[in-house]
Amino acid sequence: DPALGKGYGEALILDHFIDNVLSGEHGYERVVKCNGRLFVENAEAIVAHLRADTDVACALDGALTWADSRFLVARAATFASLLHGLAGEIDERRGVYLEHVLMRRIAAAIGAGARWRPLPAVPRYSGTGATGDRPYDGVRERARWILHSALRTLRYRPRSPV
């Protein structure tokens, strides 16, 4: 139902991926998720600098009400448990977005012993965001990324690798 929002459709795509790719005998160790209209310029460096004991890495808001679903990295089993079956809990008409449900799932996983970590660097997006066709390549967005990266580096020591 398109009225439920784009997050609902994204959740159905994630279910298809988990059921048809992750459930196979491929032996994936980690899964990197990025929204389809975006590219993360520093993705390779972010993944390379993740701590080995990380079950899931993504950005969370300060109030722990939503998890940034644009880019996340997780162990394959953690990815499947966090992201499978989200569609039944999403209803954007009622203000329940994929990011809210994902946050609740991450919090429950942490409570069960999973290890969440912040991404080792701020993702440097390029492309166009689905919400409002927002471009990530402009001067304003680059300046925001530089500021956000600098503030994050000050907040989380050691220094960001990228």
Side-chain angles (χ1 to χ4, degrees), residues 8-36:
Y8 179 83
E10 182 177 349
L12 295 177
I13 293 168
L14 289 166
D15 283 349
H16 180 80
F17 170 75
I18 292 164
D19 292 340
N20 294 285
V21 177
L22 283 188
S23 63
E25 298 295 322
H26 302 291
Y28 295 113
E29 183 177 325
R30 292 198 184 272
V31 177
V32 178
K33 178 210 174 287
C34 182
N35 286 6

Side-chain angles (χ1 to χ4, degrees), residues 59-104:
L60 307 177
D61 77 326
L64 299 179
T65 59
W66 64 263
D68 191 340
S69 67
R70 292 175 297 174
F71 181 77
L72 66 85
V73 183
R75 292 185 192 281
T78 305
F79 184 92
S81 68
L82 290 175
L83 296 167
H84 195 270
L86 292 173
E89 300 174 51
I90 296 169
D91 186 348
E92 293 182 14
R93 296 173 298 190
R94 294 184 302 119
V96 181
Y97 293 85
L98 182 142
E99 292 80 5
H100 298 125
V101 178
L102 179 59
M103 180 66 239
R104 283 182 246 165

